[in-house]
Amino acid sequence: MDVDSLLSNSCRRDWQTVEPAEIEPVRFAVIGLGWFTTGRALPALEQSEMCEPTVLVSSSAEKAERMAAETDGAAHGITYEEFHDGAASEAYDAVYIVTPNALHLEYVETAAALGKDVLCEKPMERDSERAVELRETAVDADVELMIAYRMHTEPTVRRARELVANGYIGDPMSVTGSMSQRLLDRIDPDPNQWRLDEALAGGGALFDIGIYPLNTARFLLEADPVAVTGNVSSTHDAFDEVDETVAFSAEFPQEVYAQCYASHNARQSSGLTVTGTEGQVRIEPAFFQDRTRKLHVSRGDGRATIAVERVDQMLEEFDYFADRVRGAESVYPDGDHGVVDMRAMEAVYEAAESGRWVSLE
Amino acid sequence: MDVDSLLSNSCRRDWQTVEPAEIEPVRFAVIGLGWFTTGRALPALEQSEMCEPTVLVSSSAEKAERMAAETDGAAHGITYEEFHDGAASEAYDAVYIVTPNALHLEYVETAAALGKDVLCEKPMERDSERAVELRETAVDADVELMIAYRMHTEPTVRRARELVANGYIGDPMSVTGSMSQRLLDRIDPDPNQWRLDEALAGGGALFDIGIYPLNTARFLLEADPVAVTGNVSSTHDAFDEVDETVAFSAEFPQEVYAQCYASHNARQSSGLTVTGTEGQVRIEPAFFQDRTRKLHVSRGDGRATIAVERVDQMLEEFDYFADRVRGAESVYPDGDHGVVDMRAMEAVYEAAESGRWVSLE
């Protein structure tokens, strides 16, 4: 593994096991029609050869039907209540859940009862207890469950992971990661949105965006944290229930430390760096979809910055899910994987309360 | 303040108060003739218009005399014992102390007794108690004391500090900083060197290089930490007395958190990032003298990378010291300033033992 081999075909789908033309597309019921669904998820599903957005589910029948009429491949627009009642269940194979965190479990329960596979947005739920229940619900019904960590199929992240796994940077020694944005600028004029509501979200900046550096560190190190500490803070009144900003540290095996930062009130910025005994890989910008990712690698006297072609991250994620549902390989970011983040994030909040390191073992 | 004004004359000495031609150069006794002195300090002193290296002090009379003969402006090569006895004291106005940390105090005591001003390498001493004694010694003798934080006169750092102070990034929200190198590769074949000796060094990676992101964060924020936590680790036998690697977090006022990392066993790397509500400044590479620093700034939709002309950091530092000794302005990184770092670093070690946050208030 060297930079040359990384440059050639950097966006290859090394995870792919089935040929798109040889499978039946996975037909999705898309649950929750907010800006992320309309702006990111539906365009990717329309474009995919391996997936189809056949059913759209919203609180409003009118909105669901209107959007179904506007979406290629969508034949049904139904309400949440109709979904729970099994409406149009012959028209989809899987559900994509992109509702407020605290509602994930109820949609998984219905999907599992209907025998549908599940792609569930991260974080899994509003707390680890419900996340475990969600996982068990899928296991008991023997349906696939994937948590939607789109960084796992982001080519830049996968190439960085290969470099680390192949010893390009020697032994990993530390990780630095961050993600920030001005949430209030984005959601204005909707200050009552669910991300600010502790009962619906479970957490603030940590749950919403801190999960990116946390989970991507796990993915790059192929390891899970053994202890965490951290601090949360809020300066704006809108963040009276959930954290506006979080700074946390996670200890991984072999005394590798990840130091992470996330804020809903700092300029948009994201990056992830793994420093090893022999070299360093850095992805920056790292997490926002609208920016071309750059991979900065260095070893010995050399350093290079590689702009990896921008892919549609949602398309990669949906196609990976379809590959795993239709093929024989199992899902990497499964329920167990998601629960690890939930427990780690809750431990960060616990550490922020106690001023201590909290063990995860 | 914008990027254009930053680009014009980026290396200006905004700290300068006296004209070099109008002052008598400050004549230095340089105490400790290791690689840093010969490779970095003496060339800068030879080049300076405001300083002169008139006396060289070493454990070996032969080495001191030989190097004095090879150094422009040096008239005396004396031993440590001769220095303490006041030898050649008419030939210098100030001392530059670049010995193992635990020896700083004794040279300051002699310098103070002789009425000489002091430029003392960082960290101040091996522990905060001795650092306080060092500070009091200089205060009691009414001599100038400056701790040798060369980042304070590094143009890239000063320009970044101006951007922060002038609100370019909005309110600072977080700092990320790191410095790493392979110490054992550098010091081979001298595994017994003082940096690995707890009694002489006081600490390992934290004291030697972790102090760079810590102190530079303080300098950029113009604030001091109120609490710290951290972890230390060592994987190599050579680091059985001091920390090979440290990961620490520092809380600053207004809930600004700095997350820092330093390792003596990771690839050479250094960087410092301040993220604010409106923008971000990042210096990378940041701390090593042999690399051209780059200043990465972003705000709104814009971002720019500025390669700041490389200056001789030691020359800037020596000339700043001479400016303050000869002029009316006081030294910024004085004894009080240095003691803050000593206490913060000791608190990181305490936190690493206890697994808690340690308050500095």
Side-chain angles (χ1 to χ4, degrees):
Chain A
M1 166 58 70
D2 54 20
V3 171
D4 285 324
S5 69
L6 183 144
L7 284 169
S8 69
N9 203 4
S10 64
C11 290
R12 68 187 177 280
R13 290 179 159 187
D14 56 290
W15 45 262
Q16 190 156 342
T17 64
V18 301
E19 280 303 312
E22 291 171 6
I23 62 164
E24 285 293 313
V26 174
R27 300 170 305 156
F28 275 94
V30 177
I31 303 171
L33 304 182
W35 72 266
F36 189 83
T37 300
T38 55
R40 306 290 192 194
L42 290 180
L45 285 170
E46 287 179 299
Q47 192 191 333
S48 171
E49 294 177 55
M50 303 174 76
C51 304
E52 271 183 323
T54 49
V55 180
L56 305 189
V57 190
S58 171
S59 56
S60 151
E62 183 277 329
K63 181 178 182 183
E65 285 165 13
R66 174 170 48 79
M67 287 189 55
E70 293 169 0
T71 302
D72 288 348
H76 305 272
I78 63 176
T79 65
Y80 293 137
E81 291 69 28
E82 290 169 335
F83 170 79
H84 284 307
D85 290 339
S89 64
E90 77 294 338
Y92 61 93
D93 311 307
V95 299
Y96 171 49
I97 301 172
V98 58
T99 64
N101 302 335
L103 307 180
H104 290 178
L105 176 56
E106 66 181 68
Y107 292 105
V108 172
E109 285 171 341
T110 297
L114 295 167
K116 308 299 185 185
D117 297 317
V118 176
L119 175 61
C120 178
E121 267 302 334
K122 67 199 171 304
M124 273 176 88
E125 249 286 351
R126 55 152 291 145
D127 59 47
S128 65
E129 199 175 323
R130 289 174 63 87
V132 167
E133 203 176 334
L134 190 160
R135 177 189 66 188
E136 298 310 316
T137 300
V139 168
D140 291 347
D142 197 23
V143 298
E144 290 279 4
L145 169 62
M146 172 172 153
I147 314 304
Y149 293 106
R150 58 187 159 79
M151 288 303 126
H152 290 206
T153 40
E154 160 59 44
T156 320
V157 172
R158 291 190 77 85
R159 299 297 87 77
R161 188 169 182 251
E162 288 165 8
L163 288 171
V164 172
N166 290 318
Y168 188 85
I169 65 166
D171 297 324
M173 297 290 289
S174 87
V175 178
T176 306
S178 65
M179 186 170 189
S180 60
Q181 64 177 359
R182 298 287 297 268
L183 182 69
L184 297 183
D185 293 348
R186 291 177 73 118
I187 64 176
D188 184 66
D190 180 18
N192 296 316
Q193 79 129 268
W194 67 267
R195 282 182 174 79
L196 301 174
D197 181 338
E198 203 270 338
L200 283 173
L206 176 58
F207 269 44
D208 199 35
I209 55 177
I211 196 172
Y212 280 82
L214 170 63
N215 184 266
T216 310
R218 291 175 57 202
F219 189 63
L220 289 181
L221 297 173
E222 298 187 48
D224 292 339
V226 296
V228 297
T229 192
N231 283 81
V232 296
S233 59
S234 297
T235 60
H236 193 288
D237 288 345
F239 294 94
D240 57 348
E241 294 189 13
V242 298
D243 47 299
E244 176 186 294
T245 296
V246 60
F248 63 100
S249 301
E251 179 186 351
F252 285 83
Q254 270 82 51
E255 295 188 315
V256 175
Y257 290 91
Q259 293 178 293
C260 300
Y261 169 78
S263 179
H264 271 322
N265 188 26
R267 184 189 186 277
Q268 182 175 309
S269 171
S270 72
L272 195 84
T273 304
V274 185
T275 305
T277 50
E278 309 288 340
Q280 185 180 72
V281 294
R282 181 160 65 86
I283 306 170
E284 186 171 359
F287 303 128
F288 291 102
Q289 294 205 69
D290 55 347
R291 300 196 52 83
T292 298
R293 264 145 292 283
K294 285 188 180 165
L295 183 60
H296 311 264
V297 300
S298 54
R299 191 172 67 165
D301 288 338
R303 53 186 62 218
T305 293
I306 300 145
V308 178
E309 193 181 339
R310 198 191 306 183
V311 299
D312 183 327
Q313 290 182 341
M314 295 308 294
L315 177 62
E316 298 298 299
E317 178 176 88
F318 284 126
D319 283 359
Y320 172 87
F321 178 80
D323 187 276
R324 292 309 189 256
V325 164
R326 293 290 184 242
E329 289 282 314
S330 57
V331 165
Y332 186 90
D334 59 8
D336 289 334
H337 186 88
V339 166
V340 170
D341 280 342
M342 294 300 304
R343 289 188 169 139
M345 293 191 298
E346 285 178 344
V348 169
Y349 288 139
E350 184 188 335
E353 286 284 329
S354 68
R356 297 193 70 92
W357 281 79
V358 175
S359 172
L360 294 165
E361 292 176 302
Chain B
M1 165 60 69
D2 54 20
V3 171
D4 286 324
S5 67
L6 182 145
L7 284 169
S8 69
N9 202 6
S10 65
C11 291
R12 68 185 178 282
R13 290 179 160 188
D14 56 292
W15 44 262
Q16 190 157 340
T17 63
V18 301
E19 280 303 310
E22 289 171 6
I23 61 164
E24 283 294 313
V26 173
R27 300 169 305 156
F28 274 95
V30 177
I31 303 172
L33 304 181
W35 71 266
F36 190 83
T37 300
T38 55
R40 304 291 191 194
L42 289 180
L45 286 170
E46 286 179 298
Q47 192 191 333
S48 171
E49 294 176 55
M50 301 174 77
C51 304
E52 270 184 322
T54 48
V55 180
L56 305 189
V57 190
S58 171
S59 56
S60 151
E62 184 276 330
K63 181 179 181 183
E65 285 165 13
R66 174 170 49 79
M67 287 189 54
E70 293 169 0
T71 302
D72 288 348
H76 306 271
I78 64 175
T79 65
Y80 294 138
E81 291 69 27
E82 290 169 335
F83 171 80
H84 285 306
D85 291 341
S89 64
E90 77 295 338
Y92 60 92
D93 311 307
V95 299
Y96 171 49
I97 301 172
V98 58
T99 64
N101 303 336
L103 307 179
H104 290 178
L105 176 56
E106 66 181 68
Y107 292 105
V108 172
E109 285 171 341
T110 297
L114 294 168
K116 308 299 184 185
D117 296 318
V118 177
L119 176 60
C120 178
E121 267 302 334
K122 69 201 167 303
M124 273 177 87
E125 248 287 350
R126 55 152 290 144
D127 59 47
S128 64
E129 201 176 322
R130 288 174 64 87
V132 167
E133 204 176 333
L134 192 159
R135 177 189 66 189
E136 297 310 315
T137 300
V139 168
D140 292 346
D142 198 22
V143 297
E144 291 278 4
L145 169 63
M146 170 172 155
I147 313 304
Y149 293 105
R150 57 187 160 79
M151 287 303 126
H152 290 206
T153 40
E154 160 58 43
T156 320
V157 173
R158 292 190 77 85
R159 299 296 87 78
R161 188 168 183 252
E162 288 166 7
L163 288 172
V164 173
N166 290 318
Y168 188 85
I169 65 167
D171 297 324
M173 296 290 290
S174 86
V175 178
T176 307
S178 66
M179 185 171 190
S180 60
Q181 63 178 0
R182 297 288 296 269
L183 181 69
L184 297 182
D185 294 350
R186 291 178 73 118
I187 64 176
D188 183 63
D190 180 18
N192 296 317
Q193 79 129 267
W194 67 266
R195 282 183 174 77
L196 302 173
D197 181 339
E198 204 271 338
L200 283 173
L206 176 58
F207 269 44
D208 200 35
I209 55 179
I211 195 173
Y212 279 82
L214 170 63
N215 184 265
T216 309
R218 291 177 57 203
F219 189 64
L220 289 181
L221 297 174
E222 299 187 48
D224 293 338
V226 295
V228 296
T229 193
N231 283 81
V232 295
S233 59
S234 296
T235 61
H236 194 288
D237 288 346
F239 294 94
D240 56 348
E241 295 189 12
V242 298
D243 47 301
E244 176 186 294
T245 296
V246 60
F248 64 98
S249 301
E251 179 186 352
F252 285 83
Q254 268 83 51
E255 295 187 314
V256 175
Y257 289 91
Q259 293 179 292
C260 301
Y261 169 77
S263 179
H264 271 320
N265 188 27
R267 185 187 185 280
Q268 183 177 308
S269 172
S270 71
L272 195 84
T273 304
V274 185
T275 305
T277 49
E278 309 288 340
Q280 185 180 72
V281 294
R282 181 161 64 86
I283 307 170
E284 184 171 0
F287 303 128
F288 291 101
Q289 294 206 69
D290 55 347
R291 299 196 54 82
T292 297
R293 264 145 292 284
K294 285 186 180 166
L295 183 61
H296 312 264
V297 300
S298 54
R299 191 174 66 165
D301 288 338
R303 52 187 62 218
T305 293
I306 301 147
V308 177
E309 193 181 338
R310 198 191 305 183
V311 300
D312 183 329
Q313 290 182 341
M314 296 308 295
L315 176 62
E316 298 299 300
E317 178 176 270
F318 283 126
D319 283 359
Y320 173 86
F321 178 80
D323 187 276
R324 291 309 188 258
V325 165
R326 293 289 184 243
E329 288 282 314
S330 56
V331 165
Y332 186 89
D334 59 8
D336 289 334
H337 187 88
V339 166
V340 170
D341 280 342
M342 294 299 304
R343 288 187 170 140
M345 294 191 297
E346 285 178 344
V348 169
Y349 288 140
E350 185 188 335
E353 286 284 329
S354 68
R356 295 193 72 93
W357 281 80
V358 175
S359 171
L360 294 165
E361 292 175 303

